[in-house]
Amino acid sequence: RELVNRVQNLRKDAGLDVSDRVVLAIATSGELAVVLADAGLRELIAGEVLATAIDLVGDGELAGEQVARDEIDGIAVALRVAVSR
């Protein structure tokens, strides 16, 4: 739920319309990375944030203006949204 909230805030900050489909990239580690390895959970998150894809990436792979860095339960997480084409 916290991750979905962070993504929704990032979408809003990026000026995206609520109906815009996005590609979401997530860089994290530890327990959060283990949880996100579950394809079913990623599918659930994708449905909530209108993501056509969720890519789990290394932190060095995230670049661009629509990147947010935060912590969820003490675990660093970086998120990037891009409009899906």
Side-chain angles (χ1 to χ4, degrees):
R1 187 168 59 206
E2 288 295 320
L3 183 63
V4 168
N5 179 268
R6 301 304 197 299
V7 173
Q8 298 294 42
N9 288 336
L10 181 57
R11 288 175 56 96
K12 181 180 171 185
D13 293 345
L16 299 176
D17 290 333
V18 293
S19 61
D20 285 340
R21 299 276 176 181
V22 298
V23 174
L24 174 62
I26 304 172
T28 191
S29 61
E31 186 177 332
L32 188 54
V34 171
V35 170
L36 289 172
D38 182 305
L41 179 61
R42 286 195 316 275
E43 203 171 297
L44 178 70
I45 292 168
E48 291 288 321
V49 301
L50 297 180
T52 58
I54 296 179
D55 301 319
L56 301 178
V57 299
D59 192 44
E61 297 176 61
L62 288 181
E65 296 178 16
Q66 309 311 329
V67 176
R69 297 183 186 282
D70 207 340
E71 284 190 4
I72 297 176
D73 293 333
I75 300 170
V77 62
L79 305 166
R80 179 185 63 212
V81 295
V83 175
S84 180
R85 305 219 185 274

